[in-house]
Amino acid sequence: MAQAWRCAGLSWTAGGPVLIWDGGRRSALTWGKTVAFGVAEGGARTCVGARGNTCPLAARVSARSTGPRCEECARLDRAHSVAADTLADDPRPYRVYLAWFGAGMTKVGITAERRGSARLLEQGAVCFSWLGTGPLMAARRTEELLRAALRVPDRIPYAAKRAARAALPATGEERAAEIAVLHARALELTGWPESLAPAPFRPVDHVEAFGLSEAPAPVGVVGELAAGGAVSGELVAAAGPDLHLATDRGVLVLDTRLLPGWELVPAGGRRVEVPVRALKERPAAQDGLF
């Protein structure tokens, strides 16, 4: 019987996307590399636990969920978390950013300074610019200021981000135009925390890092994994948690958040033997940011 592996998720490094496996093994992903795996026969997707602890119930998790934890483990994992706004005493500096995902889709967020731009790559931000740096609570107040004064959201549904990538403007200048306007308006606001140092507008474009400029447009999305199924294809692009794979069914998007919790085994070829759904169309762009 082939050795089974458990995936811990996708990470972004300076060299590109990397798959992380339980036990610490890492698989660097480069354009043209074959990504191929099968799902162990007779298995089920089980909770991955939280904070280094296994799930005491070995609870089953929905194959369609992008979250690999049961309700109790998910609650534990988000405890004392910046993302869940349950951590307020981190003394390290944080950055506020503006991220753009497509026409009319800009969000504000914060990330630890030590992480650099990793958070933006993980979210699939097509373009971004830093807005300022300071203590955690000052960064949070700035985020709230932009939400209240400029109606900039701090969350965008991931399906909308994915759909927007299919119709991006051709140039970096066009892709940065919306956050340029928003950045200028944000700096004009009153009420900025004194401890947050504003940053100049310096857009960073991820189209080349994601491989989107040369890759064919995807035709579908892997909807879920299933015991006995397989996914195999050539990597042509990646953005956020998504891998774009050239398969026998065309270019398909594999959301790597579907992998944790399954036992995976080696596979070959370019076959896809799991449920696939059509890629959602890009929703109509809103008339403006404000």
Side-chain angles (χ1 to χ4, degrees), residues 9-194:
L10 185 75
S11 177
W12 280 86
T13 70
V18 176
L19 279 174
I20 310 296
W21 305 91
D22 284 4
R25 182 188 174 201
R26 302 164 70 88
S27 300
L29 301 176
T30 54
W31 311 144
K33 183 171 183 173
T34 297
V35 175
F37 62 87
V39 184
E41 293 276 2
R45 191 184 190 195
T46 56
C47 175
V48 299
R51 299 187 174 274
N53 301 302
T54 58
C55 176
L57 303 177
R60 292 200 174 191
V61 179
S62 168
R64 297 182 180 182
S65 174
T66 56
R69 295 179 174 87
C70 68
E71 185 176 336
E72 290 301 318
C73 287
R75 185 179 296 114
L76 175 61
D77 189 65
R78 290 179 66 81
H80 205 59
S81 161
V82 171
D85 207 17
T86 55
L87 173 64
D89 56 355
D90 190 339
R92 295 171 294 187
Y94 278 76
R95 281 174 160 174
V96 185
Y97 61 80
L98 292 170
W100 184 86
F101 300 90
M105 291 169 42
T106 299
K107 64 158 282 188
V108 60
I110 69 173
T111 185
E113 184 181 43
R114 61 184 172 81
R115 296 205 67 208
S117 61
R119 178 67 179 145
L120 285 305
L121 291 162
E122 291 167 357
Q123 293 185 68
V126 175
C127 180
F128 82 93
S129 179
W130 301 120
L131 192 58
T133 304
L136 173 59
M137 295 313 295
R140 276 290 187 219
R141 287 196 297 273
T142 305
E143 188 181 39
E144 284 289 344
L145 177 64
L146 264 69
R147 286 205 298 261
L150 300 180
R151 293 185 293 169
V152 185
D154 64 345
R155 298 181 190 277
I156 293 176
Y158 193 77
K161 298 179 188 179
R162 180 183 290 141
R165 290 199 295 265
L168 296 174
T171 68
E173 290 77 9
E174 292 174 289
R175 294 190 289 270
E178 288 186 26
I179 56 173
V181 173
L182 189 55
H183 191 282
R185 292 195 61 178
L187 293 184
E188 292 173 354
L189 293 174
T190 58
W192 270 62
E194 293 183 1

Side-chain angles (χ1 to χ4, degrees), residues 205-230:
D205 193 276
H206 284 155
V207 164
E208 292 300 324
F210 290 157
L212 296 174
S213 59
E214 303 296 332
V219 297
V221 180
V222 172
E224 61 184 282
L225 302 186

